[in-house]
Amino acid sequence: AVRLTGTLDTTALGAALQDVIGRHESLRTVFPDTDGEPWQQIVPVEEATVAIEVSDVPEAGLPAALARAASTGFDLATDLPVRAWLFRLTDTEHVLCVVVHHI
């Protein structure tokens, strides 16, 4: 998680995250299984979207929000290995939390 101070263009932030995901196959990889055997599937760029979940959170609620984000599990068969949350504390104070799993 990283604290961001100042005016934030959430559209540009989302586009930047999407650009990183598009450039790295490992961030677009899922592991479905066939007959109990997992296999690697690279999701095409145009199908690999990760939205930044934006929510208003008071400063006092930030630790709990970060803990929830960090402890949310992944379904390796269907979920891309990256998720992002943007917790808006004020109009000029945000915390970006990006969670990535590795298998």
Side-chain angles (χ1 to χ4, degrees), residues 43-76:
V43 177
V45 172
E46 57 277 356
E47 295 174 25
T49 58
V50 173
I52 298 176
E53 186 177 320
V54 179
S55 58
D56 293 320
V57 175
E59 184 76 41
L62 184 59
L66 289 168
R68 276 191 306 276
S71 64
T72 300
F74 288 85
D75 181 344
L76 299 180

Side-chain angles (χ1 to χ4, degrees), residues 29 69-85 98-102:
T29 301
S71 64
T72 300
F74 288 85
D75 181 344
L76 299 180
T78 59
D79 295 342
L80 293 179
V82 62
R83 293 190 183 133
W85 291 263
V98 179
V99 177
V100 180
H101 84 70
H102 60 87

Side-chain angles (χ1 to χ4, degrees), residues 8-44:
L8 183 63
D9 184 340
T10 56
T11 302
L13 181 63
L17 177 63
Q18 202 60 49
D19 186 54
V20 170
I21 291 166
R23 291 173 185 265
H24 298 279
E25 289 182 346
S26 61
L27 298 178
R28 295 184 282 114
T29 301
V30 294
F31 296 89
D33 70 69
T34 303
D35 299 324
E37 284 294 317
W39 56 281
Q40 180 181 11
Q41 177 184 6
I42 299 169
V43 177

